[in-house]
Amino acid sequence: MSEIGIIGSGNIGSTVARLAVDAGHDVVVANSRGPASLADLVGQLGPRARAGTVEEAAAARDLVVLTIPLGRVRDLPTDLLAGKVVVDTCNYYPERDGDTAELDSHELTTSELVQRHFPGARVVKAFNNIFAANLGVLQRPAGSPERTTLLTAGDDEDAERVVAAFLDSLGYDVLDTGSLADSWRFQRDQPAYAGAYTEDGDPERPRRTTREDLLPLLERADRSVR
C-alpha cells in the first residue's frame, strides 16, 4: 500500500485515482477548484480516497501524479514537488496552453519543461499517450498474458523504478523508452501516441498493446511533428 497524490481531477487524473484505489493504494486528489469540488469523485472512489488541497496532494508520501494542462504548470510554486517522485502526464496543445518557444523549437520536451519548472522533483513521463477511457479498461493482473504495456521516460533510475512498480500495481507492464529528452517519441501526434492503444484510432475500440507493438512505433517517431 502506498499514498499517492494526484494533482488534477480530469479524465486521466480520475482514472488513475480509480485504478490506484482498486490496487489498494491510498489517494489524495486535488484540483484548482478546491476539495469541496471533489466530493462526488471521492465518494465514488470510496474510503481509500480523500480530497485535499494541491499542497496536500503534493505532500503524499510515495508518489505524485501531475495531470493538469501543461499551460497551468507555471502557476504552481517551483518548490511544490521538491524531493518527490512525480509522474508527468502533460501534453502540449498550443491552442489550449499558449505557444511555448522551447517546445516549438524542440529545445525541450514537455517533461523537460516540467522538470525545469520543478528542479527539485524527480520527474518521470507516463500516462500521457493513452486515452483515459482505454487506460481504465486495459489493466490486467500480474502474470496475465493479456497485459498491455505503458511507456515511461525519465532521468532518475530510482524514480523510474518507483513509477514502474506503481504502473505494475495498476495492472500494466512498462517499457522504459529512455531519458526525458527522448520522451518526445510518444508525445502528441507521434505513432506511439494514443491511437496505439486502439483499433484504427477509435478510443471506443481499445486493444491490448505490447512492447513488441510499441517498439516499431517509437522507431517511426518524427521530431519535425509538433
Side-chain angles (χ1 to χ4, degrees), residues 1-5 20-21 24-28 47-50 60-61:
M1 182 181 68
S2 301
E3 183 182 57
I4 310 300
V21 165
H25 301 293
D26 292 327
V27 172
V28 184
R48 287 200 179 277
R50 67 180 177 90
R61 184 176 65 246

Side-chain angles (χ1 to χ4, degrees), residues 146-199:
E146 297 301 315
R147 268 201 160 194
T148 278
T149 297
L150 297 181
L151 300 175
T152 65
D155 295 337
D156 184 305
E157 290 184 4
D158 288 338
E160 288 191 274
R161 280 192 286 270
V162 170
V163 173
F166 177 58
L167 269 58
D168 176 66
S169 76
L170 301 189
Y172 288 94
D173 290 338
V174 176
L175 173 58
D176 178 1
T177 67
S179 69
L180 294 181
D182 297 319
S183 64
W184 65 270
R185 295 193 296 157
F186 57 101
Q187 289 183 167
R188 178 189 178 187
D189 295 332
Q190 296 297 338
Y193 196 58
Y197 296 91
T198 71
E199 297 288 351

Side-chain angles (χ1 to χ4, degrees), residues 100-120:
T100 302
E102 298 95 329
L103 299 179
D104 293 337
S105 67
H106 306 307
E107 177 186 343
L108 297 174
T109 63
T110 55
S111 285
E112 286 180 305
L113 192 73
V114 171
Q115 179 68 82
R116 188 174 71 175
H117 185 77
F118 300 110

Side-chain angles (χ1 to χ4, degrees), residues 22-205:
D22 289 347
H25 301 293
D26 292 327
V27 172
V28 184
V29 186
N31 63 19
S32 61
R33 299 183 300 279
S37 69
L38 295 165
D40 288 346
L41 175 61
V42 297
Q44 295 166 12
L45 293 173
R48 287 200 179 277
R50 67 180 177 90
T53 64
V54 169
E55 292 75 16
E56 288 171 328
R61 184 176 65 246
D62 298 294
L63 186 77
V64 179
V65 179
L66 180 68
T67 180
I68 63 176
L70 184 64
R72 300 298 302 274
V73 170
R74 65 177 69 96
D75 297 335
L76 299 176
T78 58
D79 61 351
L80 178 70
L81 299 169
K84 295 294 183 180
V85 175
V86 176
V87 179
D88 163 40
T89 81
C90 297
N91 288 305
Y92 178 40
Y93 289 85
E95 62 273 23
R96 177 197 65 189
D97 303 314
D99 291 324
T100 302
E102 298 95 329
L103 299 179
D104 293 337
S105 67
H106 306 307
E107 177 186 343
L108 297 174
T109 63
T110 55
S111 285
E112 286 180 305
L113 192 73
V114 171
Q115 179 68 82
R116 188 174 71 175
H117 185 77
F118 300 110
R122 297 187 288 161
V123 174
V124 177
K125 190 74 167 182
F127 295 132
N128 69 296
N129 71 319
I130 184 170
F131 292 116
N134 300 158
L135 179 65
V137 299
L138 289 172
Q139 74 277 17
R140 297 292 184 274
S144 168
E146 297 301 315
R147 268 201 160 194
T148 278
T149 297
L150 297 181
L151 300 175
T152 65
D155 295 337
D156 184 305
E157 290 184 4
D158 288 338
E160 288 191 274
R161 280 192 286 270
V162 170
V163 173
F166 177 58
L167 269 58
D168 176 66
S169 76
L170 301 189
Y172 288 94
D173 290 338
V174 176
L175 173 58
D176 178 1
T177 67
S179 69
L180 294 181
D182 297 319
S183 64
W184 65 270
R185 295 193 296 157
F186 57 101
Q187 289 183 167
R188 178 189 178 187
D189 295 332
Q190 296 297 338
Y193 196 58
Y197 296 91
T198 71
E199 297 288 351
D200 301 320
D202 184 353
E204 294 187 2
R205 299 175 64 200

